[in-house]
Amino acid sequence: MEIPKQYDPKEAEQHHYERWEKNGFFAPEINQDPGAPVFSIVIPPPNVTGSLHMGHALQHTLMDVMTRHKRMCGYRTLWLPGMDHAGISTQLMVSRALKKEGKTRHDLGREKFIERVWQWKRESGGQITVQMRREGASVDWSREKFTMDEDLSRVVREVFVRLYEEGLIYRGNRIVNWCPEDQTVLSDLEVEKLPQAGKLYYLQYPIKNSDRRVTVATTRPETMLGDTAVAVNPSDDRYRELVGQTIMLPLTGREIPVIADEYVDPEFGTGAVKITPAHDPNDYEMGLRHHLPQVVVIDSYAKMTADAGADFLGLDRYKARDKVVADFEALGLLERVVDYEFSISKCERCKQVIEPLISTQWFMKMDQLRDLALGLMAREDKPKFVPETPYKKVYTDWLENLRDWTISRQLWWGHQIPAWYTPGGDVIVARSEDEARAKAGTSEVTQDPDVLDTWFSSALWPFSTLGWPNDSEDLITFYPTSVLVTARDIIFLWVSRMVMMGMKFIDKEPFADVFITGTILDAQGQRMSKTKMNGVDPIDVFNKFGVDATRLTLAQVGSTDTRWNEKQVESYRNFANKIWNAARFCLLNSEGAEVKPEILEQSTALHDRWIVSRLNKTARDLNAAIDAYEFHGAVQTLYHFFWDDFCDWYIELAKADVTAEQPSTEARTRLLTVLEQALRLLHPFMPYITEELWQRLPGDKHLHPAYQNAEPTVMLTAYPEGAASLIDEAAESQMQAIIELISRVRNIRSEMNIKPAERIPIVIAAPDESLRRVFSAAREQISRLVRASEVSVIGRLEAPKASARAVLSGGAELAVPLEGLIDFEQERRRLQREQEKLQAEAAKLEAQLSNPNFVSRAPVERVSEVRDRIAAIAQQSSQLQQTVENLQ
Ligand SMILES: [Zn+2]
């Protein structure tokens, strides 16, 4: 059997994926069982501008593990891929490219600009789909979707029209978050609130026909030019007689009233607050309650308007602030200025300070939709969040406080709002321009220039991708989907909106479960970010360690925030090499043998019954762990089984039989068969190496019955279920006793510095007769694995003097007589020196720890490393002590 000495991940990654995709293995149609259960996932569509980052790689790995596992369990599986048009990001990127040519999007005009975006999309969009192929993601590319595809755009218009007709979408003049840089409105979720060190200005406003002044405190003095009232709390005695009086608003010549409103906090500032309905969301609400005029003094570029007065017209808002303050000071009306920390709203994308502006926009009423989502949670406890804490509460709390959603954006790239205006000013909402003309009774209609928030189409993703509003086969088969895998920062932006829209239009939840992944942090525990340049590129990691090793590292992250640690990937690369070498050993010793599943049921030797039991128990535990989303545990279980049980013990125990001059075909067959099942268990996590090796195994390797006619591939074999009948607890505990014994003897050999070639006598004392039988039966294997000259198994220990001893579980004892094997005096001295060295090291570390400078200044990891090392020394030292005593 030809097999290269070294595993070459790149080689395997290149050709297997292509073959899987070409053969249609990823499509649900590969499943020929009409009664197959269904498993489906829609991918969180990455931005068309995006390239693969660690967050994607993590999500994709977990989704792929689940999809491959379920496919091997015989499910009709669909993992549906696609991309998001990502309104602002894409528009900005293409605008930037235009800027290099000295042009703006306005030079091109809307139509040409959008053409340009499509051209860019065809040429360089979707780099991520190439990278996903490298990841091994088993998505069904034949169903790939893009949120701007015609069929998905049709769904967007359909939903818009239906919600409008029900009165859930409306057009209104409201105060919104405006980004003066991007020139668009933003939803509350696209705005970051950040702490800001600023100033609080105390301004005095004179009262008409009185000497009295009222002082108001503000962080934004420039907005006073748009004040239309001063408000106080009705229960505030300080101001009771002022309510109803008139204020001469400085710098403007306007007169404004003093009003009373419960919302005013008497504790803030002076207890009297200026009210600027056009430039503050809370003042806006209060203005509506009291029918106050809205004086707009700041425009969409954050410059002062004519209504701010001739002295201010055209000034930038911050210049205007300085001028207002200077003018107040000159008038003797600036009472004081104090340092003040408050929270400021910034555009999440460009970091420009948001200007609250009154503007005509489209909104979605959320009350009814919110109640659908909350009702689903209350009635059926769906969707099920994993982990439940804290995400279930985060989700429901947010829903309970939900406000109307601003859905229009002043952009060109996106779904243009399906609303048309007649010359008479009527608004016609329709599915197409033709429909709008027909409804309007005139062909002179103009479409609203705005587009919808990108998240509007994302909210429809689970059903727009499956053919809604038609009762398509896909919609009936794959909706609701099984699970959504996503990051915690889009629970509001995306998860909740999909639930609301799914309930509204399909009357069923879009997914049963929501798995929230952990976050991969950099080595210092910081979030990876483009601006900090501290991100790790998954492609680099693939190139360095292979995709399989990277996937294993990511899978075990699961839902826990984890610092990136390349050592971990390296250790899984070593694991991949271990798998390769073990398989290579099996293949090099496979002549005359082949994979034959029946053989596992016919094992008589202890080590054979043991490995079959371990294999089945591992399979059982893995199925349970994957179904419960316990990916970390699943990886540990696999690793332990393959490395410890299979490689370190089983291959060693079976070696004599499979490599003998007259090798046992049965032993070789069993070894190959166990290996074949182990590869199947590993496959969802490590798809490439398992396929590479599985293809080389000789014999009758069955596919799962649902895929009988497919080309041979490990990805369509049956995932081992873990047969209860093959789990043999007695064999496991007996084998455990032998493993413990061998490990102890090996420890003694190394502690006592016994030369590897030296054969040693060992004495095993077990009062329990059945345990004695176990040791006696395994005498030959024990002897081979510890290089024993003699293995005696007795009932009670009467060890000769100068024996190394160990107590085993089950009341057994072990003695290794050392007379003649080592020079006792020399050995005692060596151990003594070792002991002294350890003590010296411990003393040094203790001194370090008792130095307050070290503890307070060194990185936390370093301090805990020192503590761990001290503990390890204590342990080693007491073992050494035991060894020295044994030599007496
Ligand atoms: Zn912005």
Side-chain angles (χ1 to χ4, degrees):
M1 179 61 58
E2 281 292 306
I3 172 166
K5 264 194 145 140
Q6 290 277 327
Y7 174 50
D8 179 1
K10 280 203 191 98
E11 234 275 312
E13 288 159 20
Q14 255 164 27
H15 64 265
H16 290 306
Y17 193 90
E18 222 178 279
R19 176 171 169 270
W20 294 332
E21 188 180 347
K22 209 175 66 212
N23 280 306
F25 293 164
F26 302 152
E29 286 74 19
I30 192 79
N31 191 310
Q32 300 291 309
D33 171 11
V38 172
F39 179 81
S40 60
I41 306 188
V42 290
I43 203 165
N47 288 350
V48 62
T49 51
S51 60
L52 197 72
H53 59 59
M54 271 304 167
H56 295 126
L58 168 60
Q59 289 179 14
H60 297 167
T61 296
L62 297 176
M63 283 184 263
D64 199 45
V65 166
M66 291 187 238
T67 305
R68 285 181 184 269
H69 173 242
K70 282 291 185 294
R71 192 183 286 118
M72 291 174 77
C73 292
Y75 283 63
R76 182 180 311 283
T77 53
L78 169 62
W79 179 13
L80 190 145
M83 277 187 296
D84 195 284
H85 65 281
I88 294 193
S89 314
T90 312
Q91 174 157 334
L92 278 180
M93 210 183 55
V94 177
S95 299
R96 243 178 266 138
L98 277 178
K99 205 171 169 187
K100 283 188 193 140
E101 301 165 20
K103 288 190 218 147
T104 72
R105 66 185 162 113
H106 299 283
D107 295 333
L108 267 69
R110 184 169 191 140
E111 209 172 305
K112 283 257 153 50
F113 177 79
I114 289 175
E115 244 173 58
R116 179 78 187 244
V117 181
W118 278 107
Q119 187 196 334
W120 171 84
K121 195 239 167 197
R122 276 190 301 273
E123 285 164 8
S124 34
Q127 186 199 353
I128 201 165
T129 61
V130 177
Q131 296 173 325
M132 280 177 65
R133 286 178 164 88
R134 177 84 190 275
E135 285 179 303
S138 62
V139 297
D140 179 8
W141 292 110
S142 72
R143 282 174 168 83
E144 186 184 357
K145 298 290 180 194
F146 179 48
T147 48
M148 288 286 282
D149 285 344
E150 183 40 39
D151 49 341
L152 272 69
S153 302
R154 207 159 44 231
V155 174
V156 166
R157 293 195 294 272
E158 183 67 33
V159 163
F160 189 97
V161 171
R162 290 195 195 182
L163 290 176
Y164 178 79
E165 284 170 353
E166 262 192 72
L168 295 188
I169 282 181
Y170 64 95
R171 188 164 177 259
N173 201 30
R174 295 247 321 249
I175 196 152
V176 296
N177 304 303
W178 183 268
C179 175
E181 175 69 32
D182 294 330
Q183 284 293 302
T184 182
V185 66
L186 300 172
S187 73
D188 292 346
L189 290 172
E190 294 164 296
V191 170
E192 291 177 344
K193 291 215 185 288
L194 300 166
Q196 162 103 356
K199 301 220 179 300
L200 191 59
Y201 302 85
Y202 287 79
L203 308 178
Q204 295 180 343
Y205 291 175
I207 307 288
K208 192 178 179 182
N209 302 326
S210 155
D211 295 338
R212 199 169 162 185
R213 293 169 181 178
V214 61
T215 303
V216 295
T218 179
T219 57
R220 302 194 57 194
E222 69 279 12
T223 62
M224 65 73 53
L225 298 166
D227 283 1
T228 55
V230 165
V232 297
N233 192 294
S235 65
D236 193 335
D237 290 339
R238 295 172 295 177
Y239 297 114
R240 186 154 294 161
E241 75 277 17
L242 279 188
V243 175
Q245 300 224 37
T246 300
I247 281 167
M248 315 281 292
L249 188 64
L251 313 187
T252 67
R254 285 192 289 116
E255 297 187 354
I256 61 173
V258 178
I259 59 171
D261 193 294
E262 296 282 351
Y263 278 83
V264 177
D265 175 8
E267 307 292 321
F268 174 78
T270 60
V273 294
K274 59 192 277 310
I275 303 300
T276 324
H279 297 288
D280 179 280
N282 296 321
D283 293 5
Y284 175 83
E285 298 292 334
M286 199 184 291
L288 293 183
R289 285 199 292 278
H290 296 272
H291 309 288
L292 298 174
Q294 299 165 345
V295 177
V296 174
V297 292
I298 302 173
D299 70 12
S300 64
Y301 293 92
K303 291 201 164 30
M304 307 311 285
T305 67
D307 281 346
D311 293 350
F312 290 91
L313 172 64
L315 280 188
D316 170 82
R317 55 185 164 177
Y318 298 114
K319 290 257 161 55
R321 175 175 305 175
D322 296 343
K323 182 164 165 52
V324 165
V325 172
D327 288 358
F328 265 75
E329 189 155 30
L331 292 169
L333 296 175
L334 182 65
E335 190 173 297
R336 60 195 164 108
V337 182
V338 298
D339 289 335
Y340 184 63
E341 177 147 329
F342 59 103
S343 89
I344 194 157
S345 299
K346 291 193 174 173
C347 171
E348 177 195 57
R349 207 164 296 97
C350 73
K351 312 296 172 197
Q352 176 68 264
V353 175
I354 291 299
E355 189 59 49
L357 285 185
I358 292 177
S359 154
T360 302
Q361 301 289 343
W362 290 89
F363 298 92
M364 194 187 293
K365 271 193 197 147
M366 301 307 288
D367 326 31
Q368 189 204 103
L369 296 166
R370 181 251 332 266
D371 290 346
L372 290 174
L374 284 174
L376 176 72
M377 186 57 93
R379 260 188 343 266
E380 301 175 42
D381 207 14
K382 281 184 189 166
K384 191 183 104 189
F385 280 91
V386 182
E388 186 174 304
T389 308
Y391 300 116
K392 180 180 173 183
K393 187 168 163 21
V394 163
Y395 168 84
T396 47
D397 282 358
W398 183 76
L399 281 173
E400 276 158 10
N401 295 301
L402 196 52
R403 301 200 301 172
D404 286 4
W405 175 15
T406 316
I407 52 175
S408 44
R409 293 289 181 277
Q410 286 64 53
L411 302 173
W412 285 353
W413 175 241
H415 299 103
Q416 196 169 350
I417 289 177
W420 284 261
Y421 304 103
T422 66
D426 288 338
V427 182
I428 314 285
V429 168
R431 290 165 184 82
S432 66
E433 183 146 340
D434 286 345
E435 192 186 314
R437 287 202 182 105
K439 276 185 177 173
T442 167
S443 59
E444 282 178 67
V445 292
T446 328
Q447 190 170 2
D448 193 303
D450 289 354
V451 301
L452 288 165
D453 180 358
T454 301
W455 294 101
F456 189 99
S457 53
S458 316
L460 317 176
W461 185 249
F463 57 87
S464 65
T465 51
L466 293 174
W468 188 89
N470 304 323
D471 274 333
S472 69
E473 187 79 32
D474 272 7
L475 188 68
I476 295 166
T477 311
F478 300 112
Y479 191 98
T481 64
S482 310
V483 56
L484 178 81
V485 177
T486 192
R488 71 178 70 114
D489 49 358
I490 52 176
I491 292 178
F492 308 145
L493 279 167
W494 194 44
V495 178
S496 66
R497 287 169 178 166
M498 283 190 284
V499 175
M500 291 186 270
M501 290 301 189
M503 291 306 290
K504 176 73 184 168
F505 289 97
I506 320 283
D507 201 21
K508 268 188 225 156
E509 71 282 0
F511 24 76
D513 300 346
V514 178
F515 182 84
I516 303 291
T517 64
T519 305
I520 298 179
L521 308 166
D522 75 2
Q524 279 72 44
Q526 302 285 314
R527 271 187 92 97
M528 291 185 181
S529 89
K530 265 193 204 153
T531 39
K532 278 192 232 148
M533 309 263 290
N534 62 345
V536 176
D537 184 348
I539 301 292
D540 293 343
V541 186
F542 292 165
N543 291 338
K544 195 161 170 193
F545 298 106
V547 170
D548 287 333
T550 315
R551 285 173 60 115
L552 214 50
T553 311
L554 292 168
Q556 70 155 24
V557 166
S559 60
T560 314
D561 287 357
T562 304
R563 291 180 185 206
W564 183 252
N565 176 359
E566 210 175 84
K567 284 261 177 302
Q568 183 71 73
V569 201
E570 198 183 334
S571 89
Y572 286 135
R573 195 257 326 265
N574 298 343
F575 182 50
N577 290 338
K578 184 89 177 174
I579 296 170
W580 184 265
N581 293 337
R584 189 164 177 273
F585 171 83
C586 299
L587 282 168
L588 291 175
N589 295 287
S590 66
E591 207 185 300
E594 56 174 34
V595 172
K596 202 167 144 198
E598 314 83 81
I599 200 162
L600 299 187
E601 285 156 34
Q602 306 151 2
S603 310
T604 47
L606 174 62
H607 66 284
D608 292 335
R609 283 184 290 128
W610 170 75
I611 195 67
V612 170
S613 178
R614 290 297 312 138
L615 175 71
N616 282 279
K617 208 184 256 186
T618 301
R620 184 193 68 189
D621 293 352
L622 271 172
N623 280 297
I626 297 172
D627 285 345
Y629 307 108
E630 286 160 6
F631 300 102
H632 185 86
V635 171
Q636 301 307 313
T637 302
L638 264 175
Y639 185 90
H640 168 69
F641 170 74
F642 202 92
W643 192 300
D644 301 336
D645 295 344
F646 184 65
C647 296
D648 283 358
W649 292 105
Y650 188 64
I651 291 184
E652 291 306 316
L653 290 163
K655 211 171 220 168
D657 293 336
V658 300
T659 59
E661 225 158 288
Q662 298 281 306
S664 150
T665 306
E666 196 195 316
R668 289 181 158 196
T669 298
R670 191 175 288 107
L671 188 60
L672 281 179
T673 305
V674 172
L675 172 67
E676 195 263 348
Q677 297 210 9
L679 292 176
R680 284 193 248 158
L681 289 175
L682 285 162
H683 177 74
F685 298 86
M686 307 179 85
Y688 290 116
I689 191 172
T690 50
E691 181 76 319
E692 182 70 30
L693 289 171
W694 188 87
Q695 294 290 353
R696 295 168 188 269
L697 297 184
D700 189 7
K701 298 169 294 177
H702 296 288
L703 298 185
H704 188 285
Y707 310 113
Q708 263 172 17
N709 302 320
E711 294 288 308
T713 170
V714 65
M715 70 174 279
L716 300 178
T717 56
Y719 203 73
E721 285 172 13
S725 61
L726 293 178
I727 294 177
D728 184 340
E729 295 295 352
E732 291 210 23
S733 77
Q734 290 167 11
M735 194 64 217
Q736 200 44 49
I738 293 170
I739 288 174
E740 188 192 19
L741 170 77
I742 293 172
S743 308
R744 286 305 181 84
V745 177
R746 286 175 173 171
N747 280 349
I748 289 171
R749 288 193 73 116
S750 93
E751 278 163 16
M752 292 300 174
N753 229 5
I754 298 169
K755 290 187 201 77
E758 193 94 61
R759 292 196 169 269
I760 53 172
I762 66 172
V763 183
I764 308 161
D768 178 54
E769 204 213 317
S770 61
L771 196 52
R772 277 207 299 280
R773 260 195 314 238
V774 169
F775 288 127
S776 303
R779 199 177 258 145
E780 200 185 313
Q781 285 168 325
I782 295 169
S783 166
R784 185 162 53 81
L785 294 183
V786 303
R787 296 192 68 78
S789 53
E790 189 192 341
V791 177
S792 15
V793 181
I794 55 176
R796 250 192 64 228
L797 191 63
E798 281 171 30
K801 269 187 86 124
S803 289
R805 275 179 242 170
V807 177
L808 305 172
S809 2
E813 274 184 275
L814 160 74
V816 178
L818 297 169
E819 200 66 65
L821 280 172
I822 57 172
D823 177 334
F824 284 94
E825 204 32 56
Q826 193 188 333
E827 193 53 26
R828 247 195 302 273
R829 274 201 306 274
R830 186 184 68 83
L831 293 170
Q832 212 62 257
R833 278 197 304 276
E834 195 114 323
Q835 185 74 282
E836 282 157 19
K837 235 163 62 191
L838 285 177
Q839 296 310 328
E841 188 188 347
K844 217 170 98 191
L845 294 172
E846 295 280 6
Q848 228 174 0
L849 271 192
S850 62
N851 177 352
N853 274 340
F854 172 76
V855 177
S856 63
R857 287 195 199 143
V860 188
E861 312 96 83
R862 175 74 194 124
V863 176
S864 83
E865 256 173 46
V866 170
R867 294 216 163 94
D868 291 351
R869 179 67 192 140
I870 291 175
I873 290 175
Q875 165 111 33
Q876 254 177 302
S877 166
S878 94
Q879 267 169 11
L880 269 182
Q881 195 52 43
Q882 188 59 50
T883 312
V884 174
E885 274 164 30
N886 283 343
L887 288 180
Q888 303 308 317

